[in-house]
Amino acid sequence: MAGPAYAAASGLDIPPVPRDPQHSSARRLLDDVRACITGRHPDLRVEVEDIDGLPVSALLRAAEDAELLVLGSRGLGKVAGFLLGSVSLAVLAGCERPVVLVRSAQPEWQARAEEDPAGTRPAGPDRHDVVLGLDLSHPHDKLLEFAFDAASRRAAPLRVVHGWTLPPYSYGGDLVPELDDDLARQVRRELSTALRPWREKFPNVEVSPQTTVGGAGPHLVDASHDAALVVVGRRTRRSAVGTHIGPVTQALLHHAAAPVAVVPHD
């Protein structure tokens, strides 16, 4: 049997200490989010948890037992991409699990995805690729497996982008590079070799390799406008001044028009 709403002390009714209004507001927000998600995906089990502590350390602790961490980002519109705060950057740099950054603005592809959450729509012009930015000097298995699995789950094509740099001798006196066809073919062969075992493991995934001269960052940003997800890697090495995200990932996070998955690897 429930006790009285007020405790008696010395013959006086003393009200309980009121809860922190900020805590109550946070709990209502969590409950609203759970109701929204379960309303759209009734078969999905959703658990919410209100964790005490600073955001960065709390999120990193929560991610230790997770397969994937998803962070929201303040959107700046369809063209400007993400606006990353210090919390998102710190979590992204320190997390040992894949992290997906999702912008707050709703692009056109996301609206279509909500109309077909199961991904059952037939392939056609409305389908969007999963895009993988791959560095052939570090083609880590974790990164490749994440990208192929993401494409397989979505029944979407996988576009693999590798940017490579011309050697110094390719530049003439006028600093105009001359493309070496033999070198370009060699790069394409190396990319094909790196992808071959994953094509065999995921035979249902349609793969489109793409090699580009120059840094991969601008090409990945362009590809993000027609993508459902862009996947890039992050090496987990640490320096004396902390963990770094890398210039390609940094540029992509600030300018991508689609969610970005950052997969840490050795």
Side-chain angles (χ1 to χ4, degrees), residues 184-204:
R185 283 192 290 269
Q186 177 183 339
V187 172
R188 289 194 294 269
R189 284 196 299 269
E190 292 176 357
L191 180 57
S192 178
T193 299
L195 296 176
R196 185 176 299 117
W198 298 98
R199 281 177 147 167
E200 295 173 355
K201 186 175 181 179
F202 293 89
N204 62 315

Side-chain angles (χ1 to χ4, degrees), residues 9-263:
S10 301
L12 298 175
D13 286 336
I14 302 176
V17 177
R19 300 189 70 186
D20 181 3
Q22 186 175 4
H23 182 275
S24 299
S25 176
R27 187 65 202 190
R28 286 195 301 270
L29 175 61
L30 288 173
D31 291 339
D32 290 344
V33 170
R34 177 171 55 184
C36 179
I37 295 175
T38 55
R40 294 180 179 179
H41 307 280
D43 296 329
L44 182 66
R45 189 181 71 181
V46 180
E47 298 178 359
V48 297
E49 185 176 359
D50 187 2
I51 303 175
D52 293 328
L54 297 175
V56 173
S57 57
L59 286 169
L60 290 177
R61 285 197 306 271
E64 290 177 357
D65 298 324
E67 293 184 6
L68 179 71
L69 177 65
V70 181
L71 298 177
S73 170
R74 291 175 290 169
L76 295 176
K78 292 186 178 180
V79 177
F82 297 102
L83 177 61
L84 294 181
S86 58
V87 171
S88 295
L89 286 173
V91 172
L92 188 64
C95 190
E96 297 181 359
R97 300 289 185 267
V99 179
V100 177
L101 273 295
V102 182
R103 57 188 296 170
S104 59
Q106 186 186 57
E108 183 181 354
W109 65 263
Q110 187 174 347
R112 287 196 297 267
E114 290 184 354
E115 295 173 0
D116 182 34
T120 56
R121 181 175 299 168
D126 287 341
R127 300 294 289 189
H128 289 268
D129 299 352
V130 171
V131 176
L132 167 63
L134 185 64
D135 181 357
L136 284 179
S137 63
H138 300 95
H140 203 279
D141 287 351
K142 287 184 179 179
L143 177 63
L144 286 158
E145 184 173 19
F146 185 96
F148 271 84
D149 183 66
S152 178
R153 290 173 183 268
R154 291 167 172 79
L158 175 64
R159 187 168 13 147
V160 183
V161 178
H162 167 65
W164 59 286
T165 304
L166 289 170
Y169 63 78
S170 298
Y171 292 83
D174 54 0
L175 298 182
V176 177
E178 297 179 1
L179 183 61
D180 187 325
D181 291 338
D182 291 337
L183 184 57
R185 283 192 290 269
Q186 177 183 339
V187 172
R188 289 194 294 269
R189 284 196 299 269
E190 292 176 357
L191 180 57
S192 178
T193 299
L195 296 176
R196 185 176 299 117
W198 298 98
R199 281 177 147 167
E200 295 173 355
K201 186 175 181 179
F202 293 89
N204 62 315
V205 175
E206 177 187 344
V207 183
S208 300
Q210 178 183 349
T211 59
T212 59
V213 177
H219 299 286
L220 291 172
V221 171
D222 289 342
S224 73
H225 291 275
D226 295 321
L229 179 70
V230 182
V231 183
V232 290
R234 176 183 67 80
R235 297 189 68 186
T236 55
R237 69 184 187 277
R238 292 180 177 272
S239 68
V241 294
T243 303
H244 296 284
I245 295 176
V248 172
T249 301
Q250 187 82 259
L252 183 62
L253 289 174
H254 283 286
H255 300 290
V260 178
V262 181
V263 182

